[in-house]
C-alpha cells in the first residue's frame, strides 16, 4: 500500500513537471494532423513550426521547400522578378479548402481548425494566413468576404463579424502586405440561387448591393489594389423562364453603382470582371474576354473596368489562356491573372496549380507585351488535390506554381531578347508595311481603290506561314 502511494506521488510529480514544461514552451500549432491548437480566439502560436522561410536555392537544389527558378530580386528585362509577378495567395482555397467534392466529404483537417465557423476560428485562420504569407515570401493575398468571416443571422451582424476579423487582418498586414483584391461572395448562400445582380427578386439585388458596398469598404480599408466581380450565378439555366435583356440591364446598373461608390469612397484600385462561361450556371453572362469586353462597351463601362483572366476559365470557354490574355490585352483590359489550370481530360473547373512550362511561357509573353500587370498580379486561385493532405503540401503547391511562372518568365524573356520569333511574325505581315498597306491600316483605302490594285497585280502569291518553325523557335527557348 505504501509503495502504491509512492508510485502515485511520483506520477503526480511527473505530471506537474510536464505541465510546467508545456506551459513554459512557446505556443505552436504542429504541422501534422495529430497536433491540436488551443481554443482561445487570441491564439498567437506558430502554425508551421517545422517549415522555414522559403528561399531561392537555384535549379540544382533538391530541397522541395526552396525555390529553384523564382528569385524575387533578380532583374529580368529591366524589372525585378517579384514586380513582374506580384504573386498572391487565395484565402478561400488555401485556408478554407477542405478537399470535399460532389462525391465525397472533406479530406483536409488542418491542425488549427476546431470544426466551427466562429469568429474565433476566423481569427485563427487569419493568423495562419499571415504566417504562411511571410514564410512563402508573398506580399499579396485575396479574399471573399464570407471566406474570412462567418455570415451572421442578419446583414448587420455579418458586417460586425467582418469588421472584427478585418481589424485583425489590418494589424497583421503591417506596412508590407496588402490584398491584391477583395470581393463579395455572392453565390454560396441560397438567397443567390437565381443570381445576385441578375436575380429576379428585388430584395436579393438590394442585399447583394449592400454586401458589395461593405466588401469594397473593407478592401479599401486594407489597402487593396483591385476589387473583383465574379458572377458565378449571373446567368441562366434555361431561357424559357429568363428575361435575358432585363437581367443584363440590371447587371450593368449594378456595375455603374459600384463605379459610383468606388469614386465616392476614394478607392483607387481597379475594378475587375472575371469571365467564366458556365458552372454553376449553364450560361454565365461574362462567358469569355470578348463577351465581357462587348458588355463593357455596350453599357458605357469601358475605362471603369478591366478583366481578371483565369486560365482554367479560358479552357472551359474553349480558348487557351494565351488567347484570353491576348484578347484582354489588345482591348486594353488586361488587369489581373488568376494563375491556375485545368485537366484536359476533365470538363470542369479543377483549379489546379499551373505546372506546364509551355503554357507559363505563353502567359508571360502576354504579360511582357503588356508591359507588366500592375496593379494586378498573379493570384493563385488554385487548390491542393483532394488526396494531398499534409500541411507542407500547401507550401509545395505554391512553390511549384511560383517556380513554373518564373521559368515561363525566363523563357519568354529569352524569346524576346533572341528575337527570332518576333522577326518571323514581322516578316509574315511585312507586305502591310508598304505604302498601300499603311493606307489600309489607316482606314484610307476604299473598295474601288483596292479593286483597281487587285486588277493591276493579278493573282497574289501566298507565302508559307512557317508554323512549324515558329513552334521550333518557341520550344528552343524553354
Amino acid at each position: 500500500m505504501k509503495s502504491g502511494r509512492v508510485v502515485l506521488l511520483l506520477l503526480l510529480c511527473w505530471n506537474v513537471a510536464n505541465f510546467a514544461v508545456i506551459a513554459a514552451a512557446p505556443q505552436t500549432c504542429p504541422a501534422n494532423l495529430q497536433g491540436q491548437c488551443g481554443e482561445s480566439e487570441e491564439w498567437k502560436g506558430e502554425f508551421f513550426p517545422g517549415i522555414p522561410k522559403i528561399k531561392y536555392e537555384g535549379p540544382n537544389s533538391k530541397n522541395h521547400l526552396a525555390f529553384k527558378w523564382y528569385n524575387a530580386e533578380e532583374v529580368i528585362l529591366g524589372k525585378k522578378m517579384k514586380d513582374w509577378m506580384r504573386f498572391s495567395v487565395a484565402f478561400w482555397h488555401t485556408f478554407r479548402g477542405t478537399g470535399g467534392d460532389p462525391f465525397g466529404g472533406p479530406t483536409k483537417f488542418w491542425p488549427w481548425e476546431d470544426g466551427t465557423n466562429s469568429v474565433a476560428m476566423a481569427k485563427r485562420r487569419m493568423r495562419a494566413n499571415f504566417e504562411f504569407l511571410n514564410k512563402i515570401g508573398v506580399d499579396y493575398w485575396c479574399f471573399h468576404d464570407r471566406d474570412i468571416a462567418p455570415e451572421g443571422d442578419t446583414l448587420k451582424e455579418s458586417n460586425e463579424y467582418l469588421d472584427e476579423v478585418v481589424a485583425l487582418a489590418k494589424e497583421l498586414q503591417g506596412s508590407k502586405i496588402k490584398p491584391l483584391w477583395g470581393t463579395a461572395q455572392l453565390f454560396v448562400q441560397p438567397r443567390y440561387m437565381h443570381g445576385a445582380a441578375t436575380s429576379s427578386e428585388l430584395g436579393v439585388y438590394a442585399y447583394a448591393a449592400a454586401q458589395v458596398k461593405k466588401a469594397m469598404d473593407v478592401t479599401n480599408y486594407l489597402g487593396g489594389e483591385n476589387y473583383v466581380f465574379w458572377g458565378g450565378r449571373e446567368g441562366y439555366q434555361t431561357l424559357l423562364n429568363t428575361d435575358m435583356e432585363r437581367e443584363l440591364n440590371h447587371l450593368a446598373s449594378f456595375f455603374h453603382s459600384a463605379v459610383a461608390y468606388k469614386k465616392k469612397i476614394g478607392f483607387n484600385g481597379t475594378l475587375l470582371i472575371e469571365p467564366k462561361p458556365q458552372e454553376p450556371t449553364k450560361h454565365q453572362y461574362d462567358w469569355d474576354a470578348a463577351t465581357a469586353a462587348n458588355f463593357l462597351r455596350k453599357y458605357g463601362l469601358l475605362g471603369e473596368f478591366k478583366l481578371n483572366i483565369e486560365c482554367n476559365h479560358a479552357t472551359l470557354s474553349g480558348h487557351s489562356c494565351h488567347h484570353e490574355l491576348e484578347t484582354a490585352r489588345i482591348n486594353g483590359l488586361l488587369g489581373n491573372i488568376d494563375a491556375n489550370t485545368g485537366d484536359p481530360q476533365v470538363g470542369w473547373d479543377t483549379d489546379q496549380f499551373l505546372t506546364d512550362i509551355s503554357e507559363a511561357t505563353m502567359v508571360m509573353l502576354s504579360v511582357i507585351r503588356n508591359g507588366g500587370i500592375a496593379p494586378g498580379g498573379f493570384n493563385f486561385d488554385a487548390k491542393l488535390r483532394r488526396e494531398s493532405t499534409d500541411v507542407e503540401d500547401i507550401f509545395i503547391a505554391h512553390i511549384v506554381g511560383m517556380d513554373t511562372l518564373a521559368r515561363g518568365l525566363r523563357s519568354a524573356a529569352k524569346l524576346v531578347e533572341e528575337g527570332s520569333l518576333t522577326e518571323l511574325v514581322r516578316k509574315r505581315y511585312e507586305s502591310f508595311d508598304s505604302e498601300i498597306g499603311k493606307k489600309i491600316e489607316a482606314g484610307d483605302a476604299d473598295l474601288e481603290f483596292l479593286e483597281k490594285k487587285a486588277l493591276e497585280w493579278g493573282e497574289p502569291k501566298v507565302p508559307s506561314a512557317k508554323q512549324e518553325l515558329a513552334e521550333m523557335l518557341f520550344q528552343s527557348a524553354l
Side-chain angles (χ1 to χ4, degrees), residues 424-471:
L424 184 150
V425 175
R426 188 201 65 77
K427 286 189 69 175
R428 188 178 179 207
Y429 296 93
E430 67 181 350
S431 66
F432 281 89
D433 295 332
S434 64
E435 182 180 344
I436 294 173
K438 291 176 180 177
K439 189 175 177 119
I440 291 171
E441 291 183 339
D444 296 330
D446 59 27
L447 293 182
E448 288 84 358
F449 171 78
L450 293 171
E451 179 190 39
K452 180 181 177 181
K453 288 299 175 183
L455 291 169
E456 178 186 327
W457 293 337
E459 185 64 29
K461 294 179 181 179
V462 182
S464 170
K466 295 293 184 183
Q467 179 177 332
E468 293 76 15
L469 177 57
E471 291 167 343

Side-chain angles (χ1 to χ4, degrees), residues 79-96:
K79 190 180 297 187
K80 289 183 178 180
M81 194 173 277
K82 68 178 183 181
D83 296 326
W84 280 114
M85 301 305 191
R86 293 168 55 85
F87 286 129
S88 170
V89 172
F91 190 94
W92 56 98
H93 282 319
T94 309
F95 293 99
R96 300 309 306 273

Side-chain angles (χ1 to χ4, degrees), residues 336-347:
N336 193 78
I337 299 173
D338 269 7
N340 63 14
T341 192
D343 190 312
Q345 293 181 277
V346 177

